[in-house]
Amino acid sequence: MAVFETEALILRSYNLAEADKIVVCLSRSAGLIRGVAKGCRKLKNRFGAALEPFTFINLTYYQKENQELVSFRQVEILKSRFNLSSNASILTGFAYMGDLLIDFSPPHQANDNLFRMALACFEAASETPADLEAVLRYFEVWLLKLEGFLPDLRVCAKCQKGFSGDEAVYLDPDLSIRCLQCSNGRGGGVSNRLRLHLRTAEKLSPAKFAEEARAVSKDTKREMAELTFQIIGRVLERMPRVRPAS
Ligand SMILES: [Zn+2]
């Protein structure tokens, strides 16, 4: 049995038997991990409040060879979200990001960029809860980008022509972006202002993007939400769902 240590974000937990929990977290060095925390629901336990959802922790765990479920040995809080525990919209937003991370991350595959992006999004929304919506859009854009599902916004996927400023472009049902001619009238339009907003998300940190988004029109924000929802929905339809057994 090997012992590992890594930074991790707690995403979800389930009760198991009388005193234990199954905890799902995204770790820096091992990607998505599911682990058993023995005795963590007893009044006095070595985990304390460290296993509350969305806590940023330093985790030590055991893993048996060829076993997906690990065993939590020690957890140290690096950043608690206790101060946000009464903010319902933040908790809903965090749960949404957590669910997407679980859906998109294959177990035990480290993805440092994804880990850093997710951590920065949780941090940005914790710092400025009023920016939650913008942070969620940023998170969606980057999740799609890092997992290879965000279409190229600069050139037509079919004829490779670069898009000019005001050109009408379309999201094809195959999730590529095409010019008017190549789209053959298929797919939904993607406006120039939305393309600019998406490019901003690709360039900035979540906190900076959220700041810039305050000056962006409601229509553009709605358009962005519709686009990311649409792509995420289609990607999840064709991805094998990885769900815990419980
Ligand atoms: Zn084209």
PDB file of all heavy atoms in Angstrom, residues 183-209:
ATOM      1  N   SER A 183     -21.532  26.945 -43.094  1.00  0.00           N
ATOM      2  CA  SER A 183     -22.524  26.457 -42.132  1.00  0.00           C
ATOM      3  C   SER A 183     -23.770  25.935 -42.844  1.00  0.00           C
ATOM      4  O   SER A 183     -24.526  25.164 -42.260  1.00  0.00           O
ATOM      5  CB  SER A 183     -22.924  27.575 -41.173  1.00  0.00           C
ATOM      6  OG  SER A 183     -23.749  28.506 -41.848  1.00  0.00           O
ATOM      7  N   ASN A 184     -23.964  26.361 -44.123  1.00  0.00           N
ATOM      8  CA  ASN A 184     -25.164  25.952 -44.867  1.00  0.00           C
ATOM      9  C   ASN A 184     -26.442  26.227 -44.093  1.00  0.00           C
ATOM     10  O   ASN A 184     -27.386  25.446 -44.134  1.00  0.00           O
ATOM     11  CB  ASN A 184     -25.124  24.459 -45.191  1.00  0.00           C
ATOM     12  CG  ASN A 184     -24.143  24.176 -46.316  1.00  0.00           C
ATOM     13  OD1 ASN A 184     -24.025  24.976 -47.248  1.00  0.00           O
ATOM     14  ND2 ASN A 184     -23.425  23.064 -46.227  1.00  0.00           N
ATOM     15  N   GLY A 185     -26.437  27.324 -43.350  1.00  0.00           N
ATOM     16  CA  GLY A 185     -27.636  27.681 -42.596  1.00  0.00           C
ATOM     17  C   GLY A 185     -27.876  26.815 -41.360  1.00  0.00           C
ATOM     18  O   GLY A 185     -28.916  26.921 -40.721  1.00  0.00           O
ATOM     19  N   ARG A 186     -26.912  25.938 -41.032  1.00  0.00           N
ATOM     20  CA  ARG A 186     -27.101  25.106 -39.838  1.00  0.00           C
ATOM     21  C   ARG A 186     -26.511  25.793 -38.619  1.00  0.00           C
ATOM     22  O   ARG A 186     -25.575  26.571 -38.716  1.00  0.00           O
ATOM     23  CB  ARG A 186     -26.357  23.768 -40.005  1.00  0.00           C
ATOM     24  CG  ARG A 186     -26.926  22.869 -41.057  1.00  0.00           C
ATOM     25  CD  ARG A 186     -26.413  21.463 -40.869  1.00  0.00           C
ATOM     26  NE  ARG A 186     -24.945  21.391 -40.815  1.00  0.00           N
ATOM     27  CZ  ARG A 186     -24.284  20.283 -40.510  1.00  0.00           C
ATOM     28  NH1 ARG A 186     -24.936  19.185 -40.206  1.00  0.00           N
ATOM     29  NH2 ARG A 186     -22.963  20.271 -40.495  1.00  0.00           N
ATOM     30  N   GLY A 187     -27.023  25.453 -37.464  1.00  0.00           N
ATOM     31  CA  GLY A 187     -26.414  25.896 -36.209  1.00  0.00           C
ATOM     32  C   GLY A 187     -26.864  27.269 -35.748  1.00  0.00           C
ATOM     33  O   GLY A 187     -27.537  28.003 -36.473  1.00  0.00           O
ATOM     34  N   GLY A 188     -26.481  27.632 -34.534  1.00  0.00           N
ATOM     35  CA  GLY A 188     -26.871  28.919 -33.965  1.00  0.00           C
ATOM     36  C   GLY A 188     -25.800  29.960 -34.208  1.00  0.00           C
ATOM     37  O   GLY A 188     -24.613  29.638 -34.250  1.00  0.00           O
ATOM     38  N   GLY A 189     -26.232  31.219 -34.373  1.00  0.00           N
ATOM     39  CA  GLY A 189     -25.284  32.306 -34.614  1.00  0.00           C
ATOM     40  C   GLY A 189     -24.472  32.618 -33.365  1.00  0.00           C
ATOM     41  O   GLY A 189     -24.955  32.495 -32.247  1.00  0.00           O
ATOM     42  N   VAL A 190     -23.211  33.007 -33.584  1.00  0.00           N
ATOM     43  CA  VAL A 190     -22.354  33.455 -32.482  1.00  0.00           C
ATOM     44  C   VAL A 190     -21.926  34.876 -32.805  1.00  0.00           C
ATOM     45  O   VAL A 190     -21.192  35.095 -33.766  1.00  0.00           O
ATOM     46  CB  VAL A 190     -21.107  32.546 -32.343  1.00  0.00           C
ATOM     47  CG1 VAL A 190     -20.245  33.004 -31.164  1.00  0.00           C
ATOM     48  CG2 VAL A 190     -21.503  31.087 -32.174  1.00  0.00           C
ATOM     49  N   SER A 191     -22.398  35.842 -32.018  1.00  0.00           N
ATOM     50  CA  SER A 191     -22.163  37.248 -32.368  1.00  0.00           C
ATOM     51  C   SER A 191     -20.705  37.642 -32.152  1.00  0.00           C
ATOM     52  O   SER A 191     -19.970  36.991 -31.411  1.00  0.00           O
ATOM     53  CB  SER A 191     -23.060  38.147 -31.520  1.00  0.00           C
ATOM     54  OG  SER A 191     -22.596  38.155 -30.184  1.00  0.00           O
ATOM     55  N   ASN A 192     -20.324  38.737 -32.789  1.00  0.00           N
ATOM     56  CA  ASN A 192     -18.971  39.241 -32.640  1.00  0.00           C
ATOM     57  C   ASN A 192     -18.692  39.665 -31.197  1.00  0.00           C
ATOM     58  O   ASN A 192     -17.632  39.390 -30.655  1.00  0.00           O
ATOM     59  CB  ASN A 192     -18.756  40.423 -33.590  1.00  0.00           C
ATOM     60  CG  ASN A 192     -17.311  40.908 -33.547  1.00  0.00           C
ATOM     61  OD1 ASN A 192     -16.388  40.097 -33.557  1.00  0.00           O
ATOM     62  ND2 ASN A 192     -17.124  42.205 -33.471  1.00  0.00           N
ATOM     63  N   ARG A 193     -19.699  40.305 -30.562  1.00  0.00           N
ATOM     64  CA  ARG A 193     -19.467  40.761 -29.179  1.00  0.00           C
ATOM     65  C   ARG A 193     -19.275  39.565 -28.250  1.00  0.00           C
ATOM     66  O   ARG A 193     -18.510  39.616 -27.299  1.00  0.00           O
ATOM     67  CB  ARG A 193     -20.614  41.667 -28.710  1.00  0.00           C
ATOM     68  CG  ARG A 193     -21.936  40.986 -28.845  1.00  0.00           C
ATOM     69  CD  ARG A 193     -23.125  41.799 -28.470  1.00  0.00           C
ATOM     70  NE  ARG A 193     -24.227  40.822 -28.396  1.00  0.00           N
ATOM     71  CZ  ARG A 193     -25.477  41.141 -28.345  1.00  0.00           C
ATOM     72  NH1 ARG A 193     -25.846  42.395 -28.329  1.00  0.00           N
ATOM     73  NH2 ARG A 193     -26.407  40.206 -28.275  1.00  0.00           N
ATOM     74  N   LEU A 194     -19.965  38.443 -28.544  1.00  0.00           N
ATOM     75  CA  LEU A 194     -19.755  37.247 -27.726  1.00  0.00           C
ATOM     76  C   LEU A 194     -18.356  36.669 -27.956  1.00  0.00           C
ATOM     77  O   LEU A 194     -17.674  36.256 -27.024  1.00  0.00           O
ATOM     78  CB  LEU A 194     -20.814  36.179 -28.034  1.00  0.00           C
ATOM     79  CG  LEU A 194     -20.578  34.824 -27.343  1.00  0.00           C
ATOM     80  CD1 LEU A 194     -20.538  34.981 -25.825  1.00  0.00           C
ATOM     81  CD2 LEU A 194     -21.643  33.812 -27.722  1.00  0.00           C
ATOM     82  N   ARG A 195     -17.926  36.689 -29.231  1.00  0.00           N
ATOM     83  CA  ARG A 195     -16.582  36.179 -29.520  1.00  0.00           C
ATOM     84  C   ARG A 195     -15.529  36.992 -28.772  1.00  0.00           C
ATOM     85  O   ARG A 195     -14.574  36.441 -28.218  1.00  0.00           O
ATOM     86  CB  ARG A 195     -16.312  36.220 -31.028  1.00  0.00           C
ATOM     87  CG  ARG A 195     -16.660  34.894 -31.695  1.00  0.00           C
ATOM     88  CD  ARG A 195     -17.286  35.062 -33.048  1.00  0.00           C
ATOM     89  NE  ARG A 195     -16.524  35.855 -33.988  1.00  0.00           N
ATOM     90  CZ  ARG A 195     -17.077  36.549 -34.992  1.00  0.00           C
ATOM     91  NH1 ARG A 195     -18.389  36.553 -35.146  1.00  0.00           N
ATOM     92  NH2 ARG A 195     -16.329  37.221 -35.829  1.00  0.00           N
ATOM     93  N   LEU A 196     -15.729  38.312 -28.734  1.00  0.00           N
ATOM     94  CA  LEU A 196     -14.787  39.172 -28.006  1.00  0.00           C
ATOM     95  C   LEU A 196     -14.778  38.837 -26.516  1.00  0.00           C
ATOM     96  O   LEU A 196     -13.728  38.754 -25.878  1.00  0.00           O
ATOM     97  CB  LEU A 196     -15.167  40.648 -28.185  1.00  0.00           C
ATOM     98  CG  LEU A 196     -14.803  41.268 -29.532  1.00  0.00           C
ATOM     99  CD1 LEU A 196     -15.371  42.678 -29.625  1.00  0.00           C
ATOM    100  CD2 LEU A 196     -13.277  41.297 -29.699  1.00  0.00           C
ATOM    101  N   HIS A 197     -15.978  38.621 -25.973  1.00  0.00           N
ATOM    102  CA  HIS A 197     -16.103  38.316 -24.550  1.00  0.00           C
ATOM    103  C   HIS A 197     -15.425  36.966 -24.232  1.00  0.00           C
ATOM    104  O   HIS A 197     -14.750  36.820 -23.220  1.00  0.00           O
ATOM    105  CB  HIS A 197     -17.596  38.279 -24.193  1.00  0.00           C
ATOM    106  CG  HIS A 197     -17.872  38.385 -22.724  1.00  0.00           C
ATOM    107  ND1 HIS A 197     -17.151  39.171 -21.872  1.00  0.00           N
ATOM    108  CD2 HIS A 197     -18.808  37.765 -21.940  1.00  0.00           C
ATOM    109  CE1 HIS A 197     -17.637  39.047 -20.640  1.00  0.00           C
ATOM    110  NE2 HIS A 197     -18.629  38.187 -20.655  1.00  0.00           N
ATOM    111  N   LEU A 198     -15.593  36.014 -25.130  1.00  0.00           N
ATOM    112  CA  LEU A 198     -14.944  34.703 -24.949  1.00  0.00           C
ATOM    113  C   LEU A 198     -13.430  34.827 -25.016  1.00  0.00           C
ATOM    114  O   LEU A 198     -12.696  34.203 -24.245  1.00  0.00           O
ATOM    115  CB  LEU A 198     -15.431  33.725 -26.031  1.00  0.00           C
ATOM    116  CG  LEU A 198     -16.843  33.163 -25.839  1.00  0.00           C
ATOM    117  CD1 LEU A 198     -17.376  32.604 -27.151  1.00  0.00           C
ATOM    118  CD2 LEU A 198     -16.854  32.077 -24.778  1.00  0.00           C
ATOM    119  N   ARG A 199     -12.954  35.657 -25.951  1.00  0.00           N
ATOM    120  CA  ARG A 199     -11.508  35.850 -26.081  1.00  0.00           C
ATOM    121  C   ARG A 199     -10.948  36.505 -24.814  1.00  0.00           C
ATOM    122  O   ARG A 199      -9.839  36.202 -24.389  1.00  0.00           O
ATOM    123  CB  ARG A 199     -11.183  36.728 -27.299  1.00  0.00           C
ATOM    124  CG  ARG A 199     -11.620  36.134 -28.646  1.00  0.00           C
ATOM    125  CD  ARG A 199     -10.681  35.057 -29.135  1.00  0.00           C
ATOM    126  NE  ARG A 199      -9.324  35.552 -29.342  1.00  0.00           N
ATOM    127  CZ  ARG A 199      -8.927  36.210 -30.434  1.00  0.00           C
ATOM    128  NH1 ARG A 199      -9.767  36.446 -31.419  1.00  0.00           N
ATOM    129  NH2 ARG A 199      -7.683  36.610 -30.542  1.00  0.00           N
ATOM    130  N   THR A 200     -11.748  37.416 -24.204  1.00  0.00           N
ATOM    131  CA  THR A 200     -11.324  38.040 -22.946  1.00  0.00           C
ATOM    132  C   THR A 200     -11.140  36.970 -21.874  1.00  0.00           C
ATOM    133  O   THR A 200     -10.159  36.974 -21.131  1.00  0.00           O
ATOM    134  CB  THR A 200     -12.384  39.056 -22.463  1.00  0.00           C
ATOM    135  OG1 THR A 200     -12.701  39.916 -23.551  1.00  0.00           O
ATOM    136  CG2 THR A 200     -11.875  39.893 -21.317  1.00  0.00           C
ATOM    137  N   ALA A 201     -12.097  36.036 -21.815  1.00  0.00           N
ATOM    138  CA  ALA A 201     -12.010  34.953 -20.821  1.00  0.00           C
ATOM    139  C   ALA A 201     -10.749  34.122 -21.045  1.00  0.00           C
ATOM    140  O   ALA A 201     -10.114  33.670 -20.095  1.00  0.00           O
ATOM    141  CB  ALA A 201     -13.248  34.063 -20.898  1.00  0.00           C
ATOM    142  N   GLU A 202     -10.378  33.944 -22.307  1.00  0.00           N
ATOM    143  CA  GLU A 202      -9.186  33.131 -22.605  1.00  0.00           C
ATOM    144  C   GLU A 202      -7.900  33.815 -22.174  1.00  0.00           C
ATOM    145  O   GLU A 202      -6.877  33.163 -22.003  1.00  0.00           O
ATOM    146  CB  GLU A 202      -9.131  32.812 -24.102  1.00  0.00           C
ATOM    147  CG  GLU A 202     -10.213  31.833 -24.544  1.00  0.00           C
ATOM    148  CD  GLU A 202     -10.020  31.415 -25.995  1.00  0.00           C
ATOM    149  OE1 GLU A 202     -10.546  32.111 -26.893  1.00  0.00           O
ATOM    150  OE2 GLU A 202      -9.343  30.420 -26.225  1.00  0.00           O
ATOM    151  N   LYS A 203      -7.957  35.166 -22.032  1.00  0.00           N
ATOM    152  CA  LYS A 203      -6.722  35.910 -21.753  1.00  0.00           C
ATOM    153  C   LYS A 203      -6.506  36.235 -20.281  1.00  0.00           C
ATOM    154  O   LYS A 203      -5.375  36.422 -19.854  1.00  0.00           O
ATOM    155  CB  LYS A 203      -6.750  37.240 -22.516  1.00  0.00           C
ATOM    156  CG  LYS A 203      -6.324  37.108 -23.959  1.00  0.00           C
ATOM    157  CD  LYS A 203      -6.312  38.478 -24.623  1.00  0.00           C
ATOM    158  CE  LYS A 203      -6.971  38.432 -25.983  1.00  0.00           C
ATOM    159  NZ  LYS A 203      -7.608  39.681 -26.380  1.00  0.00           N
ATOM    160  N   LEU A 204      -7.608  36.358 -19.516  1.00  0.00           N
ATOM    161  CA  LEU A 204      -7.486  36.907 -18.156  1.00  0.00           C
ATOM    162  C   LEU A 204      -7.651  35.846 -17.068  1.00  0.00           C
ATOM    163  O   LEU A 204      -8.081  34.726 -17.337  1.00  0.00           O
ATOM    164  CB  LEU A 204      -8.552  37.992 -17.950  1.00  0.00           C
ATOM    165  CG  LEU A 204      -8.498  39.193 -18.904  1.00  0.00           C
ATOM    166  CD1 LEU A 204      -9.656  40.133 -18.620  1.00  0.00           C
ATOM    167  CD2 LEU A 204      -7.178  39.935 -18.765  1.00  0.00           C
ATOM    168  N   SER A 205      -7.337  36.253 -15.836  1.00  0.00           N
ATOM    169  CA  SER A 205      -7.629  35.409 -14.673  1.00  0.00           C
ATOM    170  C   SER A 205      -9.131  35.528 -14.396  1.00  0.00           C
ATOM    171  O   SER A 205      -9.774  36.466 -14.857  1.00  0.00           O
ATOM    172  CB  SER A 205      -6.849  35.922 -13.460  1.00  0.00           C
ATOM    173  OG  SER A 205      -7.398  37.164 -13.045  1.00  0.00           O
ATOM    174  N   PRO A 206      -9.716  34.583 -13.628  1.00  0.00           N
ATOM    175  CA  PRO A 206     -11.160  34.682 -13.359  1.00  0.00           C
ATOM    176  C   PRO A 206     -11.531  35.980 -12.648  1.00  0.00           C
ATOM    177  O   PRO A 206     -12.573  36.581 -12.963  1.00  0.00           O
ATOM    178  CB  PRO A 206     -11.457  33.463 -12.481  1.00  0.00           C
ATOM    179  CG  PRO A 206     -10.152  32.895 -12.076  1.00  0.00           C
ATOM    180  CD  PRO A 206      -9.132  33.352 -13.070  1.00  0.00           C
ATOM    181  N   ALA A 207     -10.702  36.437 -11.711  1.00  0.00           N
ATOM    182  CA  ALA A 207     -11.034  37.666 -10.985  1.00  0.00           C
ATOM    183  C   ALA A 207     -11.035  38.868 -11.931  1.00  0.00           C
ATOM    184  O   ALA A 207     -11.935  39.709 -11.893  1.00  0.00           O
ATOM    185  CB  ALA A 207     -10.049  37.876  -9.840  1.00  0.00           C
ATOM    186  N   LYS A 208     -10.027  38.940 -12.818  1.00  0.00           N
ATOM    187  CA  LYS A 208      -9.947  40.057 -13.774  1.00  0.00           C
ATOM    188  C   LYS A 208     -11.085  39.982 -14.791  1.00  0.00           C
ATOM    189  O   LYS A 208     -11.663  40.992 -15.171  1.00  0.00           O
ATOM    190  CB  LYS A 208      -8.601  40.017 -14.516  1.00  0.00           C
ATOM    191  CG  LYS A 208      -7.449  40.502 -13.682  1.00  0.00           C
ATOM    192  CD  LYS A 208      -7.253  42.004 -13.892  1.00  0.00           C
ATOM    193  CE  LYS A 208      -6.132  42.537 -13.014  1.00  0.00           C
ATOM    194  NZ  LYS A 208      -6.612  43.430 -11.963  1.00  0.00           N
ATOM    195  N   PHE A 209     -11.382  38.764 -15.253  1.00  0.00           N
ATOM    196  CA  PHE A 209     -12.474  38.602 -16.208  1.00  0.00           C
ATOM    197  C   PHE A 209     -13.787  39.076 -15.585  1.00  0.00           C
ATOM    198  O   PHE A 209     -14.573  39.778 -16.218  1.00  0.00           O
ATOM    199  CB  PHE A 209     -12.599  37.138 -16.645  1.00  0.00           C
ATOM    200  CG  PHE A 209     -13.828  36.852 -17.451  1.00  0.00           C
ATOM    201  CD1 PHE A 209     -13.906  37.234 -18.790  1.00  0.00           C
ATOM    202  CD2 PHE A 209     -14.926  36.233 -16.881  1.00  0.00           C
ATOM    203  CE1 PHE A 209     -15.055  36.992 -19.543  1.00  0.00           C
ATOM    204  CE2 PHE A 209     -16.087  35.990 -17.626  1.00  0.00           C
ATOM    205  CZ  PHE A 209     -16.138  36.369 -18.953  1.00  0.00           C
TER     206      PHE A 209
END
